[in-house]
Amino acid sequence: MEGRLIGYARVSTSAQELNLQLDALKQAGCKKQHIFTDQISGSKAERPGLAYCLKELKQGDTLIIWRLDRLGRSLRNLMTF
């Protein structure tokens, strides 16, 4: 079984748009049903979209993000992740 491309996109507030990130994830090969999103600050530990994304990931899959800061806002947060 070949691994899937799983995408994650996040913006910090509901006033911001996800479109640029979603377009980039689709261009990278992520299927719509394999893209998870959040509209919440990266400093928040509980992000429902990220939780669903991580639950969906299986061995052999590849997590695609637009930029590293979409996963966390600090080096400590990224290391914990």
Side-chain angles (χ1 to χ4, degrees):
M1 177 179 163
E2 189 173 313
R4 302 167 299 166
L5 299 177
I6 307 292
Y8 176 69
R10 180 188 60 79
V11 291
S12 298
T13 68
S14 59
Q16 295 173 315
E17 295 285 331
L18 284 164
N19 294 338
L20 182 63
Q21 293 179 56
L22 296 176
D23 289 344
L25 293 174
K26 289 174 189 169
Q27 286 182 0
C30 296
K31 294 181 180 178
K32 187 176 180 177
Q33 68 267 27
H34 294 139
I35 296 176
F36 300 86
T37 63
D38 279 313
Q39 290 183 319
I40 192 167
S41 172
S43 64
K44 302 290 184 189
E46 291 189 30
R47 291 181 264 163
L50 182 58
Y52 290 130
C53 178
L54 296 176
K55 188 175 181 179
E56 181 69 22
L57 279 170
K58 306 284 187 252
Q59 186 172 348
D61 290 346
T62 301
L63 177 62
I64 306 290
I65 54 173
W66 184 57
R67 288 191 340 214
L68 191 56
D69 68 349
R70 301 300 83 199
L71 286 179
R73 300 268 314 233
S74 69
L75 181 57
R76 175 176 285 188
N77 182 253
L78 288 171
M79 290 174 59
T80 301
F81 175 75

